Amino acid sequence: MIHVEPIWIEDVPFTFVHVELPKTDLLVVSNDIGYIMCGALDVDLLNEKLSDRKIVAGRAVGVRSLDELLYAPLQKVTNYSKEKYGWEEGMIGKQALLRLR
């Protein structure tokens, strides 16, 4: 099953996508600028093979719900996220997203 819903974090609109897969779930919170995602995100691929796309993305591992994704520390972020928006590994997902204004 796929669940999509608009959410607001403070005064900023985002989209939450939850895809139920066999034995795991895929969780993403995004807007037009960037996104955070569960551990399925391959940040190394984005940094190495797709760096020319300047993707703003971060990964949190071990999350199973929207709240967990928002409040988990980001385990890895893209280089462009660091350069453009000041994202850092260890930053809470919600804090990172709020920089995407």
Side-chain angles (χ1 to χ4, degrees), residues 3-66:
H3 174 78
V4 179
E5 82 178 85
I7 63 170
W8 289 82
I9 301 173
E10 295 185 12
D11 60 342
V12 185
F14 292 92
T15 301
F16 172 58
V17 179
H18 179 180
V19 180
E20 294 178 31
L21 300 168
K23 301 183 182 180
T24 191
D25 289 344
L26 177 67
L27 305 171
V28 182
V29 177
S30 67
N31 70 3
D32 293 340
I33 299 170
Y35 57 95
I36 61 171
M37 189 171 154
C38 65
L41 179 62
D42 187 347
V43 174
D44 292 330
L45 172 76
L46 300 179
N47 281 334
E48 295 165 14
K49 304 285 186 189
L50 304 176
S51 63
D52 60 317
R53 297 184 188 184
K54 299 181 178 178
I55 296 170
V56 177
R59 173 179 70 203
V61 295
V63 297
R64 296 179 171 259
S65 70
L66 172 60

Side-chain angles (χ1 to χ4, degrees), residues 47-93:
N47 281 334
E48 295 165 14
K49 304 285 186 189
L50 304 176
S51 63
D52 60 317
R53 297 184 188 184
K54 299 181 178 178
I55 296 170
V56 177
R59 173 179 70 203
V61 295
V63 297
R64 296 179 171 259
S65 70
L66 172 60
D67 282 340
E68 288 180 4
L69 181 57
L70 292 176
Y71 292 98
L74 296 178
Q75 184 256 352
K76 197 160 201 171
V77 300
T78 61
N79 294 333
Y80 189 71
S81 302
K82 293 176 185 180
E83 295 166 15
K84 179 75 174 178
Y85 294 98
W87 287 16
E88 301 173 5
E89 281 87 8
M91 174 181 278
I92 301 301

